Amino acid sequence: MTVDITTQEAQEIAGKIALVFQEVLGATEVPDTGSGFLEIGGDSLTAARAVSLISTRLGVRITVRDLFRERNADSLALVALRRLTA
């Protein structure tokens, strides 16, 4: 099953993930969903906190490996959506 980031559901999930990025990084603004987590100031410690919050808020397991492999909220949203619909 392929999942398209242009769907409303995927965009909503990406937005929620971007809000988590903002929270764990202490940013004043919500980062663009296409911005790479590491490029906007993330590191391994904030990644661990981010995936914990994402997993809890979305109700789907997301790992640090997923975050580092996918890099941004858009790509991570597709992973989450695939797992939610599996």
Side-chain angles (χ1 to χ4, degrees), residues 19-84:
L19 285 170
V20 169
F21 288 179
Q22 176 191 22
E23 182 178 337
V24 301
L25 298 174
T28 56
E29 296 183 14
V30 178
D32 182 77
T33 58
S35 298
F37 182 74
L38 296 175
E39 287 77 23
I40 59 174
D43 57 30
S44 60
L45 293 176
T46 53
R49 184 162 177 243
V51 298
S52 175
L53 290 172
I54 291 166
S55 295
T56 299
R57 292 178 186 175
L58 297 180
V60 64
R61 183 173 148 84
I62 298 294
T63 66
V64 172
R65 179 180 288 173
D66 293 329
L67 177 55
F68 286 158
R69 184 179 53 233
E70 301 303 330
R71 300 181 181 226
N72 62 51
D74 285 337
S75 297
L76 203 54
L78 297 179
V79 171
L81 193 53
R82 268 189 234 105
R83 291 180 183 163
L84 286 167

